[in-house]
Amino acid sequence: MEDPNMYDFETLAVHAGTEPDPLTGALTPPIYQTSTFVFKNADHGARLFKGEEEGYIYSRIRNPNTDMLAKKMATLEGAEDGVVCSSGLGATLCAVLSFAKSGDHIISDSVIYGGTFSQFSEELKQLGIETSFIDTSNQDEIAAAIKPNTKLIWAETPANPTLKVVDIKAVSEVAKSKNLPLIVDNTFATPALQRPLSLGATMVIHSATKYTSGHGDVVAGIVVGSKDDIHHTSEKMGHLGLNLGPFESWLLLRGLKTLHIRMQRHSENALELAKFLKGHPKIEVIRYPGLESDPYHEVAKKQMSAFGGIVSFDVKGGIDAGKTIMNNVKLCKLAVSLGDCDSLIQHPASMTHSTYTPEELKMANISEGLVRISVGIESVNDIINDIDQVLALI
Ligand code: LCS
């Protein structure tokens, strides 16, 4: 594809990153299921290792399928370059280590995926990197948290599982004024709904396991950013051995072709479900930034084109009532993960965010009774009927 700036997002989602196969003309790229690549001669191999010539060496470092995927996601996010990792948490680690080393400090919003929270609070700590968890919607809190050895600010928006929305532009302005990179986890929104780099973020990461795949069949991660930054991230990925396989990359290339259509349908279904729950007598709190009554609606409207597929709610009756819901759904499946075609339901306090202590759950506004639904692309009537029949049981 010559100049991506000539095309709309929907066209890029279908075409970016791949060309017809030069050998056979195949429209869909072949899967380069190989660990290594044969050099033309000893000098060629040496030139590749020295970086004097472009080419493939070994699939832990680069593979044609991972390259296509990185290019596709970079184009969709409006980034110069990208790197593909074996999971969202692998992408998170590589992104953080691109900027921070032992003795450094990072700042993160306190509402993030539980696995990211554990990586920051346990693994980074062991590596000598300290994390301050704060509310990034409070600019004074950010300013107060910045230390001489602070190396980056991290935010996830909308955040897992409370759907807290962080004002990317506002946080990026504070970050820029202190010469700090802002890294945004864009997993929930995807570039179909939100482009953090255009709002001032430095780097974007994805759990590609979710909407990027869309079909619940891959665990993967992607980082995109400037050529220089991604050069460092790519080195981390290779050194840590956090590469993704060619087949998984190929599946994600396929998944991304329908990203815009899926995100539109997820968002429409989630909004309908959220409206249904908002008016329901058994529901205490409903969290969905697409609802006008939601505290994050205004900022979400500013930076997102639709509000995504995740809806969280507290039922009257707390955790016991929540369990009744999760144990009696028929269409929705009781499972973690999100962003699949299938609707999935889970309980953050005992599942995805079980590594938070009760105090940390409170700080992150994750109540004991909170139930999260990843609204799929099925008929919205069937999804609502399923939730309606379980709410009748409590
Ligand atoms: N970022 C976000 C926002 C996530 O929701 C997840 C996983 C990750 C990063 C990590 O990605 P992974 O390594 O799993 O590809 N979220 C999950 C969840 O809510 N349920 O299961 C996994």
Side-chain angles (χ1 to χ4, degrees), residues 1-19:
M1 171 167 246
E2 328 87 78
D3 178 9
N5 296 320
M6 285 171 57
Y7 297 103
D8 289 335
F9 185 88
E10 295 82 348
T11 308
L12 296 175
V14 175
H15 292 277
T18 57
E19 298 288 346

Side-chain angles (χ1 to χ4, degrees), residues 272-288:
E272 281 306 303
L273 177 67
K275 283 182 180 163
F276 164 78
L277 291 171
K278 185 172 158 41
H280 200 285
K282 305 263 175 78
I283 300 295
E284 197 156 278
V285 182
I286 165 81
R287 308 184 200 202
Y288 185 66

